[in-house]
């Protein structure tokens, strides 16, 4: 899956500025389900049709095979024949949207057994003529035991069949079932999505199986290693199109249940995992092209296709697919590649093999409405999903505990694929802001966790869901980028290619990749201090990362586990004692030196002794997953270099110096004012990455101080720093009439406007309010798509109910999700508490705000200094409701909890948080469990930080303003 929703920071902020839409902030997605199970876990006994009494075994808890979450290793599926019929209109009597299905699975018995367990969740079975939920037959007329009893084990999500004799090792059997499921709006399994087209409400049926919801569509052995072939048939209404993983082989008109309907059959799939299946019925249109016999199609709502919104995706898919074929040295294994935009979708996108599903904003591009940030997100998500076609789909990790490798890999190479499509963007640099810096923040907490989990620790669906977090995605991407760099790209791809070749259509564990990379290293000139396995274990098996300290007077280089809160206690032991094998790329006064390794707690590297005016800079381009600290003298030489001629330091490292300094200060390794000093040179900085890095860090200052007396002087200082940047853009855009040329320059223009307006630069505020007023007066929107997020936010913050209601109307009537998203975020910027409270109510009303957008809207509101406490009160008061009603896949609870508590920094807030944890212990926090503890830890750290820093920071801003003024 791709990163879930993204918060364009730009927005929440009219108090906090915003870094903006620039970088799609990913916040990992999570498919959350299973909350229903608590209310729903009674066992439903078989009805005793056919005159036979069925007794369900006395439930002796937890020792029966059906009480285990993992399947026994007795049966292995070969293929399934599945026919599904989703109804796009509610049943007239029950008002339920349903689907009906018939499935037949052929499996081989690999160990004698008298028990069949097959996953099934929320499906109702037809009792067949044998009085049971299923019919069993043998292939090749072997004898077949009869089914003694059949029932649904709700907690572990099984259909259980007890036999009165044994299935025999080596024999094949077929299991037949008929069932009905609800086509709910819960974004998981086979579900419905609803949208309005030309005033008419339309329903489509679609799927999201990953990780464990294929079992909600049909009974299946729903584990990634149980790959099989699938023959899929969909029954659908006339006038609709049916899609699945395979190519459609034909559509016929049939009469069923007294209705004339269409029946579309699909080519047999390749051997694949259940979580990659997809079934979709819609009235969509599409565009297509063919590249080397692969048929590429983009599907979307008819008006979206007619407006050309699929064109960009179609343009870049072919080149990206070709790029990956070459990168993996492996031909795309399917005859077609469909990509489809779904109005209601929980994650960002899902890599179903041959039929990739996307949120509309992640696939549809519109020249008028889409910003460059939207465009970048489309390119990177398409690349991410296409990368999975091989890494994940062709070769699949054996179990979910290795999810990080699948997602980390795709999150790394998505930048390579997007770079292929848009070479002028320098998008590869942005991984530093988008993944490395972002995940540092999470991985510096003691509540972090290692990338790799033990197979036995990941059992329940909720545990699997929890793995879809920033660590798996962004830390995974960061360490793989580091690995690819120190191996060299040639060696990395060579190992990768032989790995894919050996395991095609099979399953692996992560060490299989290390083995193939090692083989590639062994036949190359690359010289490593240890094996790939030993080096990588230090990064994969322990949480966190080091801060490497270089004393340039002695050449002493040492490492230490970097913790944001220096007083925090690490209670999880590590077999590596929190030491890493660290590759160090570095330069001296602008000249790149030979890379070094730090393989011990400390070492003396004599080449790193620098004298005189020479300075040393380590972790070039931040390819290493660590922070760097220096002796005072080197720090002041680096600051001096920034202040005199900042271009001698590579741009990514200018961003790094700012980010490292602020975080070292948070951890009390250097003084906070030293970190603030890295921002002095920004009045001369025009590049995006350092500014973005500074804004990301100052964001914390805004959160901590926007309710205190530090706020005023901080505003004054930042306004004076950003004014030259604002004027620079005014000049190069001929008084705001042109679009800056470079991708990064376009991003930084947004930063300039956001920060200038948010720090009260009058010229900026007049500018944006003027544009917004012009829009309201003429109904013609004069604002360039790149600037809309920040302009809307600032204008709504400055305005009242009139501006808010105008934007709300535009939101409700937006025909492109990308525009609706910008408005939805900006609506959270108002300073009127009553508008914010009303808006909060809308977040849990699916008629106002789609379920998929509920969490992020609440988070936007919480980012607003006025909305913070309102959002927190709302979440606390509604927790039970949100948790139970929105449990089925739509809310990402960890984002929600982290989002609403980000600003917490008082004793009172800490008490409230603890109370919240206690009060809801019974209901639980699902995928947000860890986030509650992280929030408590963060709040305590914030309290301490404010106490220690407030006076100094106030003085520094006050003095700095006097100097600059
Ligand atoms: C599935 O269908 C194929 C051909 O249509 C048939 O050969 C096979 O036996 C069927 N398998 C099962 C499990 O019904
Ligand atoms: C399944 O059965 C339960 C219990 O009878 C019923 O409440 C539910 O509506 C049924 N679901 C469908 C989709 O028919
Ligand atoms: C897609 O490619 C065509 C042909 O190169 C080009 O004219 C068109 O502008 C492109 N569309 C988009 C949205 O990039
Ligand atoms: C794989 O590499 C070989 C040798 O370089 C090349 O001939 C072949 O075309 C490549 N295959 C693909 C699918 O890229
Ligand atoms: Zn993914």
């Amino acid at each position: 899956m791709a990163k879930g929703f993204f918060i364009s920071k730009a927005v929440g902020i009219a108090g906090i500025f915003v870094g903006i839409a620039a970088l799609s902030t990913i916040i990992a997605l999570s498919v959350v389900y299973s909350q229903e199970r608590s209310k729903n876990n009674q066992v439903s006994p078989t009805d005793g049709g056919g005159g036979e009494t069925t007794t369900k075994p006395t439930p002796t808890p937890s020792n029966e095979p059906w009480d285990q979450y993992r399947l026994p290793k007795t049966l292995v599926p070969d293929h399934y024949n599945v026919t599904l019929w989703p109804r796009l209109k509610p049943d007239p009597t029950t008002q339920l949207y349903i689907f009906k299905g018939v499935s037949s699975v052929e499996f081989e018995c690999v160990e004698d057994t008298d028990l069949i367990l097959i996953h099934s969740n929320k499906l109702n079975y037809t009792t067949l003529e044998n009085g049971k939920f299923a019919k069993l037959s043998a292939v090749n007329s072997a004898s077949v035991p009869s089914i003694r009893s059949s029932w649904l084990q709700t907690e572990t999500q099984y259909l259980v069949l007890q036999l009165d004799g044994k299935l025999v090792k080596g024999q094949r059997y077929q299991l037949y079932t008929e069932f009905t499921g609800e086509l709910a709006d819960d974004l998981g399994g086979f579900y419905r999505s609803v949208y309005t087209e030309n005033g008419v409400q339309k329903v489509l049926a679609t799927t999201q199986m990953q990780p464990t919801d294929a079992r909600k569509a049909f009974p299946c052995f729903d584990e990634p290693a149980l790959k099989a072939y699938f023959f899929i048939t969909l029954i659908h209404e006339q006038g609709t199109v049916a899609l699945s993983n395979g190519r459609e082989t034909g559509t016929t008109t049939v009469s069923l249940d007294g209705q004339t309907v269409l029946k579309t059959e699909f080519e047999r799939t390749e051997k694949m995992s259940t979580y990659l299946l997809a079934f979709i019925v819609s009235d969509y249109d599409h565009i297509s092209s063919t590249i080397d016999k692969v048929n590429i199609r983009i599907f979307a709502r008819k008006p979206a296709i007619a407006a050309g919104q699929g064109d960009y995706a179609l343009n870049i898919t072919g080149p990206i697919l070709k790029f990956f074929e070459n990168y993996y040295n492996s031909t795309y294994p399917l005859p077609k590649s469909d990509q489809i935009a779904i109005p209601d979708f929980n994650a960002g996108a899902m890599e179903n093999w041959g039929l990739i599903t996307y949120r509309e904003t992640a696939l549809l591009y519109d020249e008028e409405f889409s910003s460059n940030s939207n465009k970048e997100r489309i390119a990177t998500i398409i690349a991410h999903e296409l990368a999975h076609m091989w890494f994940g789909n062709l070769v699949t990790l054996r179990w979910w505990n290795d999810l990080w490798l699948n997602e980390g890999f795709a999150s790394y190479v998505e930048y390579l694929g997007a770079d292929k499509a848009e070479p002028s963007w320098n998008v590869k640099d942005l991984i530093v802001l988008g993944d490395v810096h972002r995940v540092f923040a999470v991985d510096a907490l003691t509540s972090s966790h290692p990338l790799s989990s033990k197979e036995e620790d990941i059992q329940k669906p909720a545990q699997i869901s929890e793995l879809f977090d920033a660590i798996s995605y962004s830390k995974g991407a960061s360490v793989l980028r580091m690995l690819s760099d120190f191996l060299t790209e040639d060696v990395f791809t060579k190992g990768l290619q032989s790995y894919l070749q050996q395991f095609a259509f099979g399953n692996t564990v992560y060490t299989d990749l290390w083995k193939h990379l090692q083989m590639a290293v062994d036949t190359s000139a690359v010289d490593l201090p240890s094996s790939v396995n030993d080096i990588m274990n230090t990064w994969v098996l322990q949480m966190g990362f080091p801060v490497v300290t270089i004393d340039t007077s002695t050449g002493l280089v040492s490492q230490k586990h970097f913790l944001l809160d220096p007083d925090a206690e690490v209670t999880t032991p590590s077999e590596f004692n929190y030491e890493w094998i660290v590759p160090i790329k570095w330069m001296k006064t602008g000249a790149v030196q030979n890379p070094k390794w730090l393989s011990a707690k400390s070492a003396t590297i004599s080449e790193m002794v620098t004298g005189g005016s020479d300075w040393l800079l380590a972790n070039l381009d931040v390819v290493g997953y660590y922070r760097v600290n220096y002796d005072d003298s080197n720090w002041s030489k680096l600051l001096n270099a920034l202040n005199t001629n900042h271009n001698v330091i590579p741009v990514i490292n200018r961003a790094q110096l700012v980010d490292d300094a602020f975080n070292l200060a948070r951890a009390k390794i250097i003084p906070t004012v030293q970190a603030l000093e890295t921002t002095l040179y920004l009045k001369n900085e025009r590049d995006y990455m350092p500014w973005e890095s500074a804004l990301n860090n100052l964001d914390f200052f805004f959160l901590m101080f926007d309710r205190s007396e530090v706020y005023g002087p901080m505003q004054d200082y930042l306004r004076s720093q950003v004014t030259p940047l604002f004027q620079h853009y005014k000049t190069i855009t001929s008084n705001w009439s042109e679009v800056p040329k470079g991708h990064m320059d376009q991003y930084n223009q947004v930063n300039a406007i956001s920060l200038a307006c948010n720090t009260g630069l009058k010229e900026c505020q007049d500018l944006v309010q003027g544009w917004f007023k012009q829009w309201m007066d003429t109904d013609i929107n004069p604002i360039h798509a790149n600037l809309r997020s920040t302009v809307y936010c600032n204008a709504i913050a400055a305005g009242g109910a009139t501006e808010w209601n105008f934007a709300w109307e535009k939101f409700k009537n937006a025909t492109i999700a990308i525009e609706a998203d910008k408005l939805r975020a900006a609506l959270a910027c108002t300073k009127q508490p009553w508008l914010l409270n009303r808006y909060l109510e809308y977040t849990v009303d699916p008629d106002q705000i789609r379920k998929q957008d509920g969490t992020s809207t609440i988070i936007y509101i919480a980012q607003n200094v006025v909305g913070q406490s309102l959002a927190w009160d709302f979440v606390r008061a509604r927790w039970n409701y949100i948790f139970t009603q929105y449990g089925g896949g739509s809310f990402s609870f960890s984002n929600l909890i982290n989002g609403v508590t980000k600003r917490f920094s008082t004793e009172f807030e800490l008490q409230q948080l603890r109370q919240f944890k206690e009060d809801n212990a019974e209901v639980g926090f699902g995928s947000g469990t860890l986030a509650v503890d992280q929030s408590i830890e963060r709040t305590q750290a914030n309290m301490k930080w404010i106490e220690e820093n407030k006076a100094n920071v106030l003085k520094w801003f006050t003095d700095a303003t006097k100097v600059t003024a």
Side-chain angles (χ1 to χ4, degrees), residues 79 81 104-106 174 231:
H79 71 270
N81 294 357
S104 190
V105 51
E106 181 168 318
Q174 294 188 346
F231 295 88

Side-chain angles (χ1 to χ4, degrees), residues 75-140:
L75 309 175
V76 175
D78 175 79
H79 71 270
Y80 297 74
N81 294 357
V82 183
T83 300
L84 293 170
W85 183 5
R87 312 296 169 91
L88 304 184
K89 295 195 184 72
D91 181 279
T93 46
T94 63
Q95 291 306 313
L96 272 188
Y97 286 87
I98 62 157
F99 62 91
K100 291 197 172 236
V102 176
S103 170
S104 190
V105 51
E106 181 168 318
F107 57 85
E108 183 180 336
C109 174
V110 294
E111 215 176 279
D112 288 8
T113 180
D114 59 2
L115 180 72
I116 297 175
L117 294 183
I118 186 164
H119 283 112
S120 174
N121 186 20
K122 297 189 181 157
L123 297 175
N124 290 348
Y125 287 84
T126 307
T127 303
L128 303 176
E129 65 268 26
N130 60 357
K132 302 299 182 307
F133 287 164
K135 216 166 54 190
L136 185 64
S137 54
V139 179
N140 295 331

Side-chain angles (χ1 to χ4, degrees), residues 771-791:
W771 280 333
F772 198 80
K773 184 164 185 309
Q774 192 184 333
W775 185 23
M776 286 176 64
D777 292 347
T778 62
D779 212 35
I780 295 165
N781 190 340
I783 309 156
H784 189 273
N786 287 351
L787 307 181
R788 285 186 180 179
S789 288
T790 186
V791 171

